[in-house]
Amino acid sequence: MAKKNGVRMEVGNDGVAVITISNPPVNSLSRTIISELKEKLQDANQRSDVKAIVLTGKGGRFSGGFDINVFHQVHKTGDTSLIPDISFDLVGTLMEDSRKPIVAAVEEVALGGGFEMALACHARVAAPKAQLSLPELTFGLIPGFGGTQRLPRLVGLAKAIDMILLSKSISSEEGHKLGFIDALVPPGDLLSMSRKWALDIALGRKPFLRSLYRTDRIGSLSEARAILKNARQLAKKIAPNMPQHHACIDVIEEGIIHGGYSGILKEAEVFKQLMLSDTAKALVHVYFAQRATSKVPNVTNVGLKPRPMKKVAVIGGGLMGSGIATALLLSNIRVVLKEINSEYLLKGIKTVEANLNSLVSRGKLTQDKAGKAFSLLKGVLDYTEFKDVDMVIEAVIENIELKQKIFKEIEEVCPPHCILATNTSTIDLNVIGEKTNSKDRIVGAHFFSPAHIMTLLEIVRTENTSAQVIVDLMALGKAIKKVPVVVGNCIGFAVNRTFFPYAQAAHMLVNLGVDLFRVDSVITSFGLPLGPFQLGDLAGHGIAIATKDIYAKAFGDRMFSSPLTELLLKSGRNGKINGRGYYIYQKGSKPKPDSSVLSVVEESRKLTNIMPGGKPISVTDEEIVEMILFPVVNEACRVLDEGVVIRASDLDVASVLGMSFPSYRGGVLFWADTVGPKYIYERLKRLSETYGGFFKPSKYLEERAMRGILLSEPKSSRSRL
């Protein structure tokens, strides 16, 4: 019986050896595949009946690149020798320097190391619509199989830098226009054309070109230096806290100045250095953590199949409801949008339309698809259309009585299989469903704003929610291009619960005399897209007031109470929604700090009266980061300890996708483990002695710090899930 995975070689009567990589689903380059590929290439070069070689992948895919599981193993062990020598032994010696021409027959995907192998071949023949890219920088690395040297020599320096620094994928059609895809042919003709091309090279009818030694696309040294200078400015702008972008430019420059082989040597050295960097460890961690979210014990492993969601009702056409409706429509799901009156309904429908038009204007959606999506929307003022819906998502204001009333009503009018979901960001699901008899169908579907763009979907389950409902909602989440993370039921759930100290810590700092715009600047320099005050403006300060009492009731003993938000609203500053908050918002321009808000801040400082001796405290930027984010880590520890999440990495994913915590720091708990639990504990302990119980370390953090155990280390005790 033939081996399913591996590398196969077949030599035809024409003297062409076709070497096929088979490692489903994307023909990734595992250590075994690479070893077998080396053997087959050596064999083909030694055989007298082989004149030329075609390299391809089984199942209509060339190769998705190097097996990222190996990176994970390297990070666990610190052993970089787990990565085989591909750049020199395979790509250089056996492929590019081969005595016999090698043609890459590319179909569907050639990514990362797979694309780099194609670049080392002597010609490339591709089927239409194949995706070609070097995404290594998204993992904190650089291309490691010669891509930093060969791509500039094939497409020109400016285009290569654009593709590599931004991890841009291009189509085989664009590759053909750029000149590094030598021929575009239908999939059915791919192998025959590739064989012919390889033979033509062997017989001298086409040029035998080795990419690394080409210089015709590089341009002059002065031109190259100007391009590299612009690239460094771009890297500084898009990746100020990451090393791989600047390192990649240095490696490319080495090859331009000292030649391709010198560039290959530097690439290999830098690749191994970056492999063990905190950034690479963090980004690889997030990659695997995101995949782990799809595994939910006693839910995804018990043989349940998701039921189809053909028609979904959304109650409430405000910012969240219209965003949720948009997300569903984009995935061809019929949506019934309910509001309480015609005015609100029309506004909700227009918001959905505006969401779709915005995607069209940004080139994310065609006009035809936007029109088709919008045609699936029906606005209603009553429950008549609810008789055949598969799911209802309630997205009204955070009012317990209103939500209870709605859930009682939809239980009566919806079919018995219908899932009853709430988009509440704060309220306990058991309270919302208190007056119903269908507690097994009640679930939280917590989207993040704007719901049609943000990718996180928190699926909140109670002790009564059925496994089938969770499976259904996870499948729906994936269908609408979200990342579902299943969490337990508590005030704020996982993300908002973990981050509720975030704004409070910022308020404490400001009331202690620290400039609020400096706080925002420090936090954005750390890597979050918005500081806590600008984030408050964006969300709308009314939300903070609406949820304040709920959090105070649950966590009052560790909250910092500040009058700043109330004073802000009293002065007519609602945030971005009315153009004024801490910042001034004008259409077509960036938010500008509003210096006149400082009088409101001064009033808050007088009322709180916590500045030592009435004088502002002196803090470094590092201390600002610690005072704002260490309380977040502290709350994350409580979330873990209470079993609100299945695993620590779920909270990392949720923090990255829900709060835009920098992915290159690995998520909130991964970052905390990098900083060190003992340091965080000791710092919080000192802060609590100075500023009170808000900073008091949790028992979980204290225990981990004292025992020298990472916060993310699994514990043997229960999980709510």
Side-chain angles (χ1 to χ4, degrees), residues 561-576:
S561 184
S562 163
L564 185 52
T565 303
E566 284 95 335
L567 292 170
L568 202 70
L569 287 168
K570 193 177 172 184
S571 69
R573 299 169 183 269
N574 295 353
K576 188 180 179 183

Side-chain angles (χ1 to χ4, degrees), residues 341-358:
N341 61 45
S342 299
E343 181 191 345
Y344 285 1
L345 181 60
L346 183 61
K347 189 178 177 183
I349 289 170
K350 283 188 176 297
T351 304
V352 172
E353 189 175 26
N355 289 341
L356 293 169
N357 288 337
S358 173

Side-chain angles (χ1 to χ4, degrees), residues 443-463:
V443 68
H446 180 214
F447 291 79
F448 289 74
S449 186
H452 60 296
I453 294 171
M454 295 290 280
T455 52
L456 180 65
L457 172 60
E458 259 187 330
I459 298 177
V460 188
R461 66 184 295 186
T462 71
E463 61 276 10

